[in-house]
Each structure stands twice: as structure tokens, then as C-alpha cells.
Amino acid sequence: MQTPLESFIDHKAETNMQCGSYSIDIPPLKEGEQYRFHFDAVACVGCRCCEVACNEQNNNPADVKWRRVGEMEGGEFPAFTQLLNSMSCNHCIDPECLIGCPTESYIKIAETGIVVHDDDTCIGCQYCTWNCPYGVPVFHEERNIVTKCHMCHERLDVGQSPACVQACPAGAIEIEVVNVKEWLERDIDEQANMPFLPDARITNSTTRYTLPDNLPENMKEMDEHILKPAHKEIPLVFMTVLTQISLGGFLALFLGDFMSLFGFESTNWIMALLVVLPAAVGLPLSALHLGRPFLAMTAMKNIKTSWLSREALALGVFTGLMSLVVVLYFFDVSHLLRLLLEALTLAIGIYGIYAQSMIYRIRARPSWNRITTNFKFFGVAYIGFFLVAFISSISSIHEAIIPLATMGMLGAVAQLFFSYEDIRTLDAKENEYQLQRTKRLLNENFSKVKLVRFVSLIIAGILLPLLALVFVSASLNAAASVVLFLALVTAFASEVSDRFLFYTTVVPLGMAGGFFVGKQR
């Protein structure tokens, strides 16, 4: 009679199970093929040995998980179904982490299809943690970089099984070879999707799932009752708002300089200098968001595919050219040359803010991936008009105050509309689960901040500028300066509060039921 161990060994041999062995018997890759994971949800018992083995193999702390187990349930007692998902990196055919990384720290190995992360070049910007719809990359606080699963490719290279595969007692995780063309044309939609996972087509994930038959219709995530705000991203809150204010201020400066051709009072170097200051302060603040801020300049490396690289380069050039404009003003260089440089600078600034908004137009974060994000980022520019109006008032250029304050007011009304639309469109049917949770965060966790945002925008963008216009018309210029300053400060506070809500209320796509997913952003 066989012992249980002998029976298990025989069962492994008969079924070609990969678990429990250092060696792994998989066919060599042919042209057009790559390695992938196969997860059998029928076999998984939820023991989380895969999580532990992965952490031990890669010397990760407990809160940094490259492989995670999620839990779902459905049905009615006694016909109750528990569904588990053990997921690490899906080694996608079109990985969003690789496309978006500004430092080209992700590499898809051509020979195997495995997506690996180059730790040495990572600056810890965590953009990949936003981009990945599965929430796979995770920030390692001790190392100040992002890390992720690499399918234990060093072990595979010498014919050994990955740690998670070897540790799984049920043989629920395996390594397979997949033909990429056949996978995309025939099997991906049926075999790569699982309840509550993002559509595999977003990144063309390669992981194959085996699911139980006849899953209940009322399946739900085990962690759906957990709703917590996302990371505040305070350095980015101020950086984005300040650079957008500089764009609006520079637009006002350019229009004023252009109108001086027709006899209006000219702008001056002090105006130009004060318009540069928000961006000059804001851009360095973005480095505080990085795990390795001293490598911030390498964020411009991936201009080809990364919106973050494009933003960094464009806004850096924009700020540099604005500083050059200040020099031209100070030394009273040719007016025509200055206007041409201002036009070029403005065009680059517009592109820089567009690139900045496109950083957040990512499918993994539905509340960001809407046209209102683009509109609201440009909408902040109205504060720049209030800034130049205030400078004009204290510089005794009174004829410029009314048009500048009026344009700022129109911009604030537009921003009020964009902000209203941003909340109204949370009721869209696509990505309804994530958007409704964002709405709950706004209404339950941050209702007071939301109220302050709208009230302060109305006060700063409409009521105070109207009062300033009344004072200017009555030649009460000192009072107008005070009111414009109040409008400027209140508008800035309003936009900072809105950007705070933008970051903290986002609910990403990801793995269902991940109670212990570690330090995901």
C-alpha cells in the first residue's frame, strides 16, 4: 500500500504538476512564443504559500508583495462558491508600465517575453503603479524604488521553477509557453479574463485562467466594504497647480505685451518675473514625490512613449524660456523679438500642461481618465490672470485691471462648470464600480472639502473680482488691490483643495479581494 507521499509523487508524475520541484520541464521557446503563468482557480486552496515563497525568494518585506491572493464569493448557502485568484505580474504583450515609465526602467526580454524592472535606473516616481491596471508594481520604501515580479527568470534560465510555482501545494500555478499571435487572435478573451479583473485587452495580458463552471451571478469582492482614500501626493498637488498658474499668467503677459503695440501701457520685467515664480517653485517640488530625487533629470529619458517624460521636458523648457523673457524685458531688447519668443514660450507651455494632464489619462484609474481632467488642468490658468491683475494694480497700471479681472472671471466660471461636470459624469456606466466608489469618497470622506472647494471658487472667481471691478470703477485702487489679493489667495486655496480631492478620491482598477496587497499606491 502506498504512503500519502508516494501517492502524491505518483499523482504529480501522472499529471505533470510543476509544484514541489526545483526542475521544470517546459518546451523551448519557438519564434513568436513567450512564457506565461497559468492559474487554476479550481485547484487553489487559498493557503498563500505562493505569497510567502515569493517574498522569501526575493528578500522582500512583508508589505511588499509581488504575488498576491484575492478573494471573491457568491451564491446562496449551501450552494456557496469561493473564488480565489493568485496573481503576480501578467507579463503583458503591451505592458502599460513599460510604455509609461519615464526612465525606461522596464524591459520586455525579447527571447522570453518576461517583463523585468531595472532597479538601478528607477527614480521611484511610481507612475507605473498608476498605469498598471492590475496594480502589480509596488513601491519599496526601504529601497526608494518600485519593484515587481520577474517570473524568477534567473531560475527559468537554468531550468528551475519559479518560487511561487514550486511552493504551491495544489499545483494551481504553472509556467506555460504561449504563441502570442494565436493568443491575441483566438484565446485571450475567453482564457485571460476573470471576474472583477480589468479587461485583459487593456495590456494584452498573457496569464491564462482556469475557472470553475457555472459561477454564481452574484459574485462579489470580499473587500468591497473597504473604502479608503488614495495617497495624497502633496508635492504633485502644488506642482501641478503652480505650473498651471504660470501658464495663465504668461498668457496674460503675452496678451498685454501684444496690446502694447496698439498704444496700451506695456508690461514690464517685474510682471514677467512674478509670472515665472509659480513654475520655478512648483517644478522642484515634484522631485519630493520621487523615491530618488537626485535622479530627477533622468525623467526626460523616454520622450518617445512616456507623457511624464514629455511633461518634464516641456515644462522645464517653458520655465527656462520664461526666465529668458524676463532678461529681454530687463535689458529692453527688441519688442518684436520678445513677442516672438513669448509666442514660442506660450506654445511650449500649452503643450507642457497638455502633457501633464495626459499623465492622468490612464485606463487603470477611471476617475482620472476623463476629458474633464484635461479641461480642469487648463482651467486653473484663470488664477494667472488674477495674478497679473493684482501686479497691475500695485504697479498703478489701472487700465489693465478691468480686462484682466474680467478674463479671469470668465475662466473661473468655466472652471466651475468643468468641476461640476467632473462630479456629474461619475455616474457613467463604464467602470461604474470604481466611479461610484470615487463618488462615495467625495460624499462621505471629503464632503466638507468638496463644499469648501465650490464655495471658495465662487467667492474667489466671481464675487471678489466683481467687487474689485466696482472699486476700480470708483477709483478706489488701494481697495481693489486688497480685494484682488484676496481673490488670488482664495482661488489658489480652492484649486489646491480640488487637486487634493483629485488624488485622494481616485479608485483604481485592480485585483478583487486583495486584503493584503501591500503598499499599493
Side-chain angles (χ1 to χ4, degrees), residues 442-505:
L442 279 168
N443 294 332
E444 296 173 17
N445 295 59
F446 299 107
S447 58
K448 292 181 179 178
V449 179
K450 185 179 75 169
L451 178 63
V452 168
R453 176 345 185 226
F454 279 96
V455 171
S456 60
L457 180 55
I458 292 170
I459 292 173
I462 300 172
L463 300 182
L464 288 177
L466 280 175
L467 183 60
L469 293 180
V470 171
F471 286 150
V472 170
S473 300
S475 297
L476 299 173
N477 298 316
S481 298
V482 172
V483 171
L484 284 171
F485 178 75
L486 291 175
L488 183 62
V489 172
T490 308
F492 178 71
S494 179
E495 295 304 328
V496 165
S497 65
D498 184 66
R499 197 57 46 81
F500 170 83
L501 292 174
F502 176 80
Y503 287 110
T504 55
T505 62

Side-chain angles (χ1 to χ4, degrees), residues 92 134 183 188-189 192-193 197-206:
C92 306
Y134 301 100
W183 178 247
I188 186 172
D189 294 316
N193 288 308
L197 268 190
D199 188 345
R201 290 280 184 183
I202 294 177
T203 59
N204 290 321
S205 166
T206 62

Side-chain angles (χ1 to χ4, degrees), residues 56 70 159 161 219 228 241 249 281 359 361 364 370 398 461 516:
E56 289 185 349
S161 57
M219 294 292 296
K228 60 181 182 179
V241 171
V281 172
I359 290 173
R361 294 298 305 274
R370 297 179 295 152
H398 303 305
F516 311 105

Side-chain angles (χ1 to χ4, degrees), residues 226-230 437 441 445-446 504-507 515 517-518 520:
I226 299 174
L227 183 63
K228 60 181 182 179
R437 288 171 76 83
L441 283 169
N445 295 59
F446 299 107
T504 55
T505 62
V506 66
V507 177
F515 286 101
V517 296
Q520 308 303 97

Side-chain angles (χ1 to χ4, degrees), residues 196-246:
F196 303 106
L197 268 190
D199 188 345
R201 290 280 184 183
I202 294 177
T203 59
N204 290 321
S205 166
T206 62
T207 300
R208 181 172 73 91
Y209 288 98
T210 297
L211 302 177
D213 296 328
N214 303 316
L215 283 172
E217 294 184 0
N218 64 341
M219 294 292 296
K220 66 178 183 179
E221 301 170 301
M222 291 289 287
D223 62 345
E224 68 172 1
H225 62 288
I226 299 174
L227 183 63
K228 60 181 182 179
H231 198 278
K232 298 179 180 66
E233 311 292 0
I234 296 299
L236 297 183
V237 167
F238 284 94
M239 186 276 285
T240 53
V241 171
L242 287 169
T243 52
Q244 292 154 20
I245 289 173
S246 273

Side-chain angles (χ1 to χ4, degrees), residues 406-429:
T406 301
M407 293 182 70
M409 228 177 354
L410 292 174
V413 171
Q415 185 73 329
L416 185 63
F417 173 74
F418 299 149
S419 299
Y420 166 76
E421 280 293 290
D422 194 49
I423 293 177
R424 186 187 68 81
T425 52
L426 289 173
D427 292 322
K429 291 300 179 185

